Amino acid sequence: MPIILAIESSCDETSAAVLSDQNVLSNIVASQKIHSEYGGVVPELASREHQKNIVPVVDKALKNAGVDKNKIDAVAFTRGPGLMGALLVGVSFAKSFAQALNIPLIEVNHMEAHVLAHFINDQSRSDFPDFPFLCLTVSGGHTQIVKINDYLEMEVLGKTLDDAAGEAFDKSGLLLGLSYPAGPAIDKLAKSGDPRRFEFPIPKIQGLNFSFSGFKTAVLYFLQKQVKSNPDFIKENLNDLCASIQFSIVRILMGKLKRAAKETGIKTITIAGGVSANSELRNHLATIGDKNRWKIFVPKVEYTTDNAAMIGIAGYFKFLKKDFCSIDVKADPKLRI
Ligand code: KG4
Ligand code: ZN
């Protein structure tokens, strides 16, 4: 039963986790609030926050797990994709930690880790997805449909050509006056809104790829037009606007996921990443899954947004294969599956 220390620092969450086998002993996440006033993540500020947080966050993860650092068998860390300055903090910390204790170092692809979060053991679930399965990986930086053939063997079937689904939430939210990241606020406000009140266009993109930049522009033009004739339009219709925007984004995502299931014949369907916390996406998936006899897996909410437990589970599967990396490994902001 290997004990793995995992580090995540790719964007605006500094996180450390300790895993024993597939079990999470601790998972500490320090979310950086500083970006909310800028309407998005400011890379330089993110790096500085990681630098400030990394030691206390790792310390707390070890304490909460009740594990002495000398009992750690390997250190797993996010190599990419992400922001270069942010990644460097986690990569440098992981290297120093591994070298000081003379233990192996494991590099992890952040996007693979979002998918592998489905293999974290927790009491609320009885089984794991069988291979091959599909995963709609939707976050602030990425939107992909991935075919998973084995733990560390994944193929991207479709991806966004421009903005990510999370960005569509965040940028639309900004237009509505909500602070960054707007996804959770839109989800909450949408609960008492009418999703069919306003209609936004579904982009016609070939195959299994996505595009969200036109969606954001459509929301912008629509709001500009309405506000011209009624300056209080957004305030008076906030719930309906949130519900309609959310419904449109979910329809775009689910349309492609349905197509991927049909084309591949795969009926084990999962979702992952920050946007997979969205309640409308989860409800829609359950309904469509029922109709199409899909076997659905949805991650626990705490493992949807960025966290080190998912880096730890990816590290665990690499540890079993003795897939270690050299101390010379470099952060890669554009690392791909
Ligand atoms: O996976 P994640 O934590 O970071 C990246 O790797 O990018 O995803 C963050 C994204 C943000 O865009 C945030 O607005 C979105 O996930 N998000 C949500 C919800 N919770 C987080 N979007 C919609 N509904 C939610 N409940
Ligand atoms: Zn992520």
Side-chain angles (χ1 to χ4, degrees), residues 70-123:
N70 294 308
K71 293 270 182 291
I72 305 279
D73 295 300
V75 185
F77 65 95
T78 305
R79 181 178 175 206
L83 302 168
M84 185 49 140
L87 289 166
L88 283 176
V89 177
V91 173
S92 308
F93 184 93
K95 283 185 183 181
S96 323
F97 200 94
Q99 205 165 33
L101 294 174
N102 198 23
I103 53 176
L105 197 54
I106 303 171
E107 57 153 298
V108 169
N109 178 314
H110 181 90
M111 298 311 293
E112 286 186 358
H114 269 302
V115 174
L116 292 171
H118 282 286
F119 294 97
I120 291 173
N121 225 349
D122 78 64
Q123 268 107 36

Tab-separated table of all heavy atoms in Angstrom, residues 70-123:
chain	number	residue	atom	x	y	z
A	70	ASN	N	8.489	10.834	6.657
A	70	ASN	CA	9.377	9.706	6.358
A	70	ASN	C	8.627	8.460	5.899
A	70	ASN	O	9.236	7.483	5.465
A	70	ASN	CB	10.240	9.383	7.578
A	70	ASN	CG	11.195	10.537	7.852
A	70	ASN	OD1	11.914	10.976	6.953
A	70	ASN	ND2	11.150	11.072	9.064
A	71	LYS	N	7.312	8.477	6.031
A	71	LYS	CA	6.503	7.317	5.601
A	71	LYS	C	6.023	7.459	4.146
A	71	LYS	O	5.397	6.572	3.590
A	71	LYS	CB	5.262	7.175	6.506
A	71	LYS	CG	5.573	6.790	7.939
A	71	LYS	CD	5.574	5.275	8.053
A	71	LYS	CE	5.833	4.775	9.462
A	71	LYS	NZ	7.176	5.003	9.946
A	72	ILE	N	6.297	8.616	3.534
A	72	ILE	CA	5.842	8.852	2.158
A	72	ILE	C	6.702	8.025	1.182
A	72	ILE	O	7.922	8.040	1.258
A	72	ILE	CB	5.981	10.355	1.789
A	72	ILE	CG1	5.246	11.235	2.802
A	72	ILE	CG2	5.531	10.627	0.353
A	72	ILE	CD1	3.786	11.371	2.612
A	73	ASP	N	6.033	7.310	0.263
A	73	ASP	CA	6.753	6.463	-0.698
A	73	ASP	C	7.087	7.173	-2.004
A	73	ASP	O	7.995	6.747	-2.723
A	73	ASP	CB	5.923	5.216	-1.022
A	73	ASP	CG	5.749	4.340	0.201
A	73	ASP	OD1	6.786	3.892	0.737
A	73	ASP	OD2	4.604	4.141	0.652
A	74	ALA	N	6.310	8.214	-2.357
A	74	ALA	CA	6.577	8.940	-3.606
A	74	ALA	C	5.858	10.281	-3.578
A	74	ALA	O	4.884	10.451	-2.834
A	74	ALA	CB	6.092	8.138	-4.809
A	75	VAL	N	6.343	11.218	-4.406
A	75	VAL	CA	5.693	12.528	-4.527
A	75	VAL	C	5.171	12.673	-5.954
A	75	VAL	O	5.940	12.559	-6.915
A	75	VAL	CB	6.667	13.691	-4.241
A	75	VAL	CG1	5.924	15.015	-4.263
A	75	VAL	CG2	7.352	13.500	-2.907
A	76	ALA	N	3.863	12.913	-6.077
A	76	ALA	CA	3.260	13.152	-7.397
A	76	ALA	C	2.944	14.640	-7.511
A	76	ALA	O	2.566	15.270	-6.523
A	76	ALA	CB	1.979	12.340	-7.533
A	77	PHE	N	3.110	15.184	-8.705
A	77	PHE	CA	2.863	16.625	-8.879
A	77	PHE	C	2.298	16.882	-10.269
A	77	PHE	O	2.504	16.096	-11.194
A	77	PHE	CB	4.172	17.422	-8.706
A	77	PHE	CG	5.172	17.106	-9.773
A	77	PHE	CD1	5.265	17.897	-10.915
A	77	PHE	CD2	5.992	15.998	-9.674
A	77	PHE	CE1	6.163	17.592	-11.934
A	77	PHE	CE2	6.891	15.679	-10.691
A	77	PHE	CZ	6.978	16.472	-11.811
A	78	THR	N	1.590	18.005	-10.408
A	78	THR	CA	1.058	18.411	-11.716
A	78	THR	C	2.178	19.004	-12.544
A	78	THR	O	2.758	20.032	-12.180
A	78	THR	CB	-0.043	19.480	-11.543
A	78	THR	OG1	-1.035	18.964	-10.673
A	78	THR	CG2	-0.663	19.855	-12.887
A	79	ARG	N	2.454	18.359	-13.689
A	79	ARG	CA	3.487	18.893	-14.593
A	79	ARG	C	2.875	19.884	-15.574
A	79	ARG	O	3.532	20.778	-16.082
A	79	ARG	CB	4.130	17.732	-15.350
A	79	ARG	CG	5.212	18.207	-16.263
A	79	ARG	CD	5.887	17.070	-16.979
A	79	ARG	NE	6.840	17.593	-17.931
A	79	ARG	CZ	7.223	16.972	-19.022
A	79	ARG	NH1	6.744	15.780	-19.282
A	79	ARG	NH2	8.079	17.520	-19.843
A	80	GLY	N	1.582	19.737	-15.877
A	80	GLY	CA	0.880	20.615	-16.816
A	80	GLY	C	-0.416	19.944	-17.196
A	80	GLY	O	-0.663	18.825	-16.720
A	81	PRO	N	-1.290	20.525	-17.991
A	81	PRO	CA	-1.196	21.898	-18.453
A	81	PRO	C	-1.569	22.884	-17.348
A	81	PRO	O	-2.160	22.486	-16.340
A	81	PRO	CB	-2.221	21.928	-19.592
A	81	PRO	CG	-3.230	20.894	-19.226
A	81	PRO	CD	-2.476	19.825	-18.489
A	82	GLY	N	-1.236	24.150	-17.572
A	82	GLY	CA	-1.551	25.172	-16.577
A	82	GLY	C	-0.728	26.421	-16.830
A	82	GLY	O	-0.133	26.589	-17.897
A	83	LEU	N	-0.687	27.281	-15.834
A	83	LEU	CA	0.083	28.532	-15.944
A	83	LEU	C	1.528	28.246	-15.549
A	83	LEU	O	1.766	27.626	-14.504
A	83	LEU	CB	-0.498	29.586	-14.989
A	83	LEU	CG	-1.974	29.945	-15.203
A	83	LEU	CD1	-2.504	30.758	-14.025
A	83	LEU	CD2	-2.110	30.719	-16.509
A	84	MET	N	2.483	28.678	-16.377
A	84	MET	CA	3.883	28.339	-16.146
A	84	MET	C	4.353	28.702	-14.726
A	84	MET	O	4.891	27.869	-14.002
A	84	MET	CB	4.759	29.016	-17.204
A	84	MET	CG	6.212	28.623	-17.125
A	84	MET	SD	6.429	26.832	-17.034
A	84	MET	CE	7.822	26.569	-18.083
A	85	GLY	N	4.135	29.961	-14.335
A	85	GLY	CA	4.620	30.412	-13.024
A	85	GLY	C	3.978	29.643	-11.875
A	85	GLY	O	4.616	29.375	-10.847
A	86	ALA	N	2.722	29.285	-12.053
A	86	ALA	CA	1.993	28.538	-11.016
A	86	ALA	C	2.534	27.109	-10.936
A	86	ALA	O	2.815	26.597	-9.841
A	86	ALA	CB	0.505	28.546	-11.345
A	87	LEU	N	2.711	26.479	-12.106
A	87	LEU	CA	3.229	25.111	-12.137
A	87	LEU	C	4.611	25.024	-11.494
A	87	LEU	O	4.907	24.084	-10.750
A	87	LEU	CB	3.332	24.617	-13.589
A	87	LEU	CG	2.012	24.340	-14.307
A	87	LEU	CD1	2.246	24.193	-15.807
A	87	LEU	CD2	1.337	23.087	-13.751
A	88	LEU	N	5.454	26.041	-11.785
A	88	LEU	CA	6.843	26.009	-11.304
A	88	LEU	C	6.923	25.870	-9.785
A	88	LEU	O	7.814	25.205	-9.269
A	88	LEU	CB	7.578	27.283	-11.741
A	88	LEU	CG	8.024	27.328	-13.207
A	88	LEU	CD1	8.646	28.678	-13.526
A	88	LEU	CD2	8.995	26.195	-13.510
A	89	VAL	N	5.970	26.486	-9.083
A	89	VAL	CA	6.005	26.424	-7.619
A	89	VAL	C	5.823	24.969	-7.156
A	89	VAL	O	6.599	24.445	-6.347
A	89	VAL	CB	4.916	27.332	-6.993
A	89	VAL	CG1	4.908	27.207	-5.474
A	89	VAL	CG2	5.118	28.782	-7.413
A	90	GLY	N	4.799	24.288	-7.721
A	90	GLY	CA	4.534	22.900	-7.330
A	90	GLY	C	5.633	21.958	-7.784
A	90	GLY	O	6.052	21.071	-7.036
A	91	VAL	N	6.122	22.170	-9.005
A	91	VAL	CA	7.170	21.290	-9.553
A	91	VAL	C	8.442	21.417	-8.701
A	91	VAL	O	9.041	20.406	-8.302
A	91	VAL	CB	7.469	21.646	-11.032
A	91	VAL	CG1	8.661	20.854	-11.554
A	91	VAL	CG2	6.246	21.389	-11.906
A	92	SER	N	8.835	22.645	-8.390
A	92	SER	CA	10.067	22.852	-7.604
A	92	SER	C	9.910	22.276	-6.204
A	92	SER	O	10.826	21.643	-5.678
A	92	SER	CB	10.387	24.340	-7.475
A	92	SER	OG	10.393	24.925	-8.736
A	93	PHE	N	8.732	22.489	-5.614
A	93	PHE	CA	8.516	21.962	-4.270
A	93	PHE	C	8.596	20.433	-4.292
A	93	PHE	O	9.270	19.819	-3.451
A	93	PHE	CB	7.143	22.406	-3.717
A	93	PHE	CG	6.933	21.950	-2.305
A	93	PHE	CD1	7.272	22.765	-1.237
A	93	PHE	CD2	6.433	20.678	-2.036
A	93	PHE	CE1	7.117	22.329	0.067
A	93	PHE	CE2	6.279	20.236	-0.737
A	93	PHE	CZ	6.619	21.062	0.323
A	94	ALA	N	7.924	19.811	-5.262
A	94	ALA	CA	7.889	18.344	-5.335
A	94	ALA	C	9.301	17.780	-5.522
A	94	ALA	O	9.689	16.803	-4.879
A	94	ALA	CB	6.979	17.902	-6.476
A	95	LYS	N	10.085	18.431	-6.378
A	95	LYS	CA	11.464	17.962	-6.614
A	95	LYS	C	12.286	18.030	-5.334
A	95	LYS	O	12.992	17.081	-4.989
A	95	LYS	CB	12.141	18.849	-7.667
A	95	LYS	CG	11.720	18.582	-9.081
A	95	LYS	CD	12.568	19.449	-10.012
A	95	LYS	CE	12.141	19.285	-11.447
A	95	LYS	NZ	12.956	20.091	-12.364
A	96	SER	N	12.188	19.152	-4.630
A	96	SER	CA	12.985	19.317	-3.403
A	96	SER	C	12.578	18.282	-2.372
A	96	SER	O	13.425	17.681	-1.704
A	96	SER	CB	12.786	20.698	-2.784
A	96	SER	OG	12.671	21.657	-3.768
A	97	PHE	N	11.255	18.083	-2.233
A	97	PHE	CA	10.737	17.141	-1.232
A	97	PHE	C	11.236	15.729	-1.547
A	97	PHE	O	11.724	15.013	-0.670
A	97	PHE	CB	9.206	17.183	-1.256
A	97	PHE	CG	8.558	16.647	-0.018
A	97	PHE	CD1	8.198	17.492	1.021
A	97	PHE	CD2	8.286	15.292	0.110
A	97	PHE	CE1	7.586	17.005	2.165
A	97	PHE	CE2	7.681	14.787	1.244
A	97	PHE	CZ	7.323	15.647	2.274
A	98	ALA	N	11.125	15.331	-2.823
A	98	ALA	CA	11.530	13.977	-3.221
A	98	ALA	C	13.033	13.788	-3.041
A	98	ALA	O	13.488	12.740	-2.575
A	98	ALA	CB	11.133	13.723	-4.669
A	99	GLN	N	13.781	14.826	-3.381
A	99	GLN	CA	15.236	14.701	-3.278
A	99	GLN	C	15.679	14.634	-1.815
A	99	GLN	O	16.534	13.833	-1.460
A	99	GLN	CB	15.901	15.880	-3.976
A	99	GLN	CG	17.292	15.532	-4.437
A	99	GLN	CD	17.829	16.544	-5.436
A	99	GLN	OE1	17.511	17.729	-5.343
A	99	GLN	NE2	18.640	16.099	-6.358
A	100	ALA	N	15.062	15.454	-0.973
A	100	ALA	CA	15.429	15.463	0.445
A	100	ALA	C	15.154	14.105	1.096
A	100	ALA	O	15.910	13.655	1.953
A	100	ALA	CB	14.666	16.564	1.168
A	101	LEU	N	14.055	13.449	0.681
A	101	LEU	CA	13.704	12.160	1.299
A	101	LEU	C	14.198	10.963	0.489
A	101	LEU	O	13.966	9.823	0.864
A	101	LEU	CB	12.186	12.069	1.486
A	101	LEU	CG	11.596	13.065	2.480
A	101	LEU	CD1	10.088	12.986	2.485
A	101	LEU	CD2	12.122	12.791	3.885
A	102	ASN	N	14.809	11.263	-0.659
A	102	ASN	CA	15.307	10.204	-1.541
A	102	ASN	C	14.204	9.219	-1.947
A	102	ASN	O	14.354	7.997	-1.814
A	102	ASN	CB	16.480	9.484	-0.851
A	102	ASN	CG	17.300	8.711	-1.855
A	102	ASN	OD1	17.279	9.020	-3.048
A	102	ASN	ND2	18.000	7.688	-1.388
A	103	ILE	N	13.104	9.766	-2.415
A	103	ILE	CA	11.969	8.941	-2.866
A	103	ILE	C	11.617	9.312	-4.312
A	103	ILE	O	11.967	10.401	-4.774
A	103	ILE	CB	10.718	9.107	-1.942
A	103	ILE	CG1	10.352	10.592	-1.792
A	103	ILE	CG2	10.936	8.432	-0.594
A	103	ILE	CD1	9.091	10.828	-0.985
A	104	PRO	N	10.894	8.406	-5.022
A	104	PRO	CA	10.591	8.691	-6.432
A	104	PRO	C	9.639	9.871	-6.629
A	104	PRO	O	8.827	10.197	-5.757
A	104	PRO	CB	9.921	7.409	-6.920
A	104	PRO	CG	10.042	6.409	-5.856
A	104	PRO	CD	10.427	7.081	-4.593
A	105	LEU	N	9.785	10.432	-7.831
A	105	LEU	CA	9.011	11.597	-8.242
A	105	LEU	C	8.096	11.147	-9.389
A	105	LEU	O	8.537	10.445	-10.298
A	105	LEU	CB	10.028	12.621	-8.753
A	105	LEU	CG	9.677	14.069	-8.917
A	105	LEU	CD1	9.111	14.666	-7.651
A	105	LEU	CD2	10.940	14.837	-9.350
A	106	ILE	N	6.825	11.561	-9.349
A	106	ILE	CA	5.879	11.126	-10.393
A	106	ILE	C	5.224	12.349	-11.011
A	106	ILE	O	4.567	13.132	-10.317
A	106	ILE	CB	4.779	10.209	-9.799
A	106	ILE	CG1	5.415	9.002	-9.102
A	106	ILE	CG2	3.797	9.772	-10.878
A	106	ILE	CD1	4.434	8.167	-8.295
A	107	GLU	N	5.404	12.524	-12.334
A	107	GLU	CA	4.759	13.659	-13.005
A	107	GLU	C	3.346	13.260	-13.420
A	107	GLU	O	3.114	12.122	-13.836
A	107	GLU	CB	5.554	14.082	-14.238
A	107	GLU	CG	5.745	12.950	-15.227
A	107	GLU	CD	5.908	13.434	-16.652
A	107	GLU	OE1	4.970	14.061	-17.159
A	107	GLU	OE2	6.954	13.144	-17.244
A	108	VAL	N	2.401	14.204	-13.280
A	108	VAL	CA	1.001	13.896	-13.589
A	108	VAL	C	0.451	14.946	-14.552
A	108	VAL	O	0.726	16.142	-14.418
A	108	VAL	CB	0.159	13.857	-12.285
A	108	VAL	CG1	-1.331	13.805	-12.594
A	108	VAL	CG2	0.568	12.670	-11.419
A	109	ASN	N	-0.315	14.469	-15.532
A	109	ASN	CA	-1.040	15.354	-16.442
A	109	ASN	C	-2.354	15.746	-15.753
A	109	ASN	O	-3.175	14.883	-15.402
A	109	ASN	CB	-1.302	14.595	-17.757
A	109	ASN	CG	-2.090	15.415	-18.756
A	109	ASN	OD1	-3.086	16.037	-18.424
A	109	ASN	ND2	-1.646	15.407	-19.992
A	110	HIS	N	-2.554	17.026	-15.562
A	110	HIS	CA	-3.720	17.551	-14.839
A	110	HIS	C	-5.052	17.050	-15.434
A	110	HIS	O	-5.988	16.734	-14.689
A	110	HIS	CB	-3.655	19.082	-14.889
A	110	HIS	CG	-4.746	19.789	-14.175
A	110	HIS	ND1	-4.665	20.158	-12.856
A	110	HIS	CD2	-5.959	20.210	-14.600
A	110	HIS	CE1	-5.778	20.779	-12.510
A	110	HIS	NE2	-6.597	20.820	-13.550
A	111	MET	N	-5.138	16.988	-16.769
A	111	MET	CA	-6.393	16.573	-17.412
A	111	MET	C	-6.658	15.078	-17.217
A	111	MET	O	-7.795	14.658	-17.029
A	111	MET	CB	-6.393	16.949	-18.899
A	111	MET	CG	-6.293	18.438	-19.154
A	111	MET	SD	-7.467	19.425	-18.191
A	111	MET	CE	-9.013	18.909	-18.914
A	112	GLU	N	-5.590	14.269	-17.260
A	112	GLU	CA	-5.755	12.840	-16.966
A	112	GLU	C	-6.205	12.664	-15.519
A	112	GLU	O	-7.026	11.805	-15.211
A	112	GLU	CB	-4.431	12.093	-17.188
A	112	GLU	CG	-4.080	11.916	-18.643
A	112	GLU	CD	-2.837	11.057	-18.875
A	112	GLU	OE1	-2.198	10.605	-17.897
A	112	GLU	OE2	-2.497	10.863	-20.046
A	113	ALA	N	-5.666	13.512	-14.653
A	113	ALA	CA	-6.008	13.410	-13.230
A	113	ALA	C	-7.487	13.719	-12.992
A	113	ALA	O	-8.142	13.046	-12.182
A	113	ALA	CB	-5.125	14.363	-12.421
A	114	HIS	N	-8.033	14.726	-13.705
A	114	HIS	CA	-9.472	15.014	-13.556
A	114	HIS	C	-10.277	13.746	-13.846
A	114	HIS	O	-11.218	13.414	-13.124
A	114	HIS	CB	-9.908	16.121	-14.534
A	114	HIS	CG	-9.821	17.515	-13.954
A	114	HIS	ND1	-10.492	17.901	-12.808
A	114	HIS	CD2	-9.148	18.618	-14.371
A	114	HIS	CE1	-10.229	19.182	-12.551
A	114	HIS	NE2	-9.418	19.637	-13.472
A	115	VAL	N	-9.894	13.019	-14.907
A	115	VAL	CA	-10.609	11.794	-15.278
A	115	VAL	C	-10.415	10.716	-14.201
A	115	VAL	O	-11.370	10.056	-13.766
A	115	VAL	CB	-10.097	11.254	-16.636
A	115	VAL	CG1	-10.738	9.913	-16.952
A	115	VAL	CG2	-10.352	12.264	-17.757
A	116	LEU	N	-9.169	10.557	-13.754
A	116	LEU	CA	-8.852	9.461	-12.827
A	116	LEU	C	-9.434	9.675	-11.430
A	116	LEU	O	-9.454	8.752	-10.613
A	116	LEU	CB	-7.336	9.241	-12.773
A	116	LEU	CG	-6.749	8.693	-14.088
A	116	LEU	CD1	-5.224	8.695	-14.057
A	116	LEU	CD2	-7.270	7.284	-14.374
A	117	ALA	N	-9.935	10.895	-11.162
A	117	ALA	CA	-10.615	11.147	-9.875
A	117	ALA	C	-11.756	10.145	-9.675
A	117	ALA	O	-12.181	9.886	-8.540
A	117	ALA	CB	-11.140	12.573	-9.830
A	118	HIS	N	-12.244	9.563	-10.774
A	118	HIS	CA	-13.311	8.560	-10.671
A	118	HIS	C	-12.857	7.288	-9.965
A	118	HIS	O	-13.689	6.462	-9.609
A	118	HIS	CB	-13.840	8.211	-12.067
A	118	HIS	CG	-14.760	9.268	-12.598
A	118	HIS	ND1	-16.036	9.437	-12.125
A	118	HIS	CD2	-14.565	10.233	-13.524
A	118	HIS	CE1	-16.603	10.457	-12.755
A	118	HIS	NE2	-15.728	10.962	-13.595
A	119	PHE	N	-11.558	7.113	-9.776
A	119	PHE	CA	-11.064	5.876	-9.154
A	119	PHE	C	-10.672	6.081	-7.695
A	119	PHE	O	-10.077	5.206	-7.079
A	119	PHE	CB	-9.896	5.306	-9.968
A	119	PHE	CG	-10.350	4.845	-11.327
A	119	PHE	CD1	-10.202	5.663	-12.446
A	119	PHE	CD2	-10.974	3.618	-11.478
A	119	PHE	CE1	-10.655	5.255	-13.691
A	119	PHE	CE2	-11.431	3.200	-12.729
A	119	PHE	CZ	-11.275	4.016	-13.838
A	120	ILE	N	-11.001	7.252	-7.155
A	120	ILE	CA	-10.776	7.468	-5.719
A	120	ILE	C	-11.805	6.632	-4.962
A	120	ILE	O	-12.991	6.641	-5.268
A	120	ILE	CB	-10.909	8.974	-5.367
A	120	ILE	CG1	-9.736	9.758	-5.969
A	120	ILE	CG2	-10.991	9.165	-3.860
A	120	ILE	CD1	-9.854	11.267	-5.835
A	121	ASN	N	-11.293	5.911	-3.979
A	121	ASN	CA	-12.154	5.060	-3.164
A	121	ASN	C	-12.899	5.905	-2.157
A	121	ASN	O	-12.285	6.664	-1.435
A	121	ASN	CB	-11.226	4.148	-2.346
A	121	ASN	CG	-11.689	2.740	-2.366
A	121	ASN	OD1	-12.802	2.445	-2.802
A	121	ASN	ND2	-10.840	1.849	-1.896
A	122	ASP	N	-14.200	5.843	-2.128
A	122	ASP	CA	-14.861	6.464	-0.980
A	122	ASP	C	-16.137	5.695	-0.693
A	122	ASP	O	-16.656	5.005	-1.574
A	122	ASP	CB	-15.055	7.977	-1.182
A	122	ASP	CG	-16.187	8.331	-2.085
A	122	ASP	OD1	-17.328	8.028	-1.721
A	122	ASP	OD2	-15.928	8.922	-3.155
A	123	GLN	N	-16.569	5.811	0.566
A	123	GLN	CA	-17.656	4.932	1.003
A	123	GLN	C	-18.960	5.113	0.238
A	123	GLN	O	-19.786	4.216	0.207
A	123	GLN	CB	-17.916	5.139	2.493
A	123	GLN	CG	-17.128	4.186	3.373
A	123	GLN	CD	-16.007	4.922	4.078
A	123	GLN	OE1	-16.187	6.075	4.460
A	123	GLN	NE2	-14.874	4.292	4.253
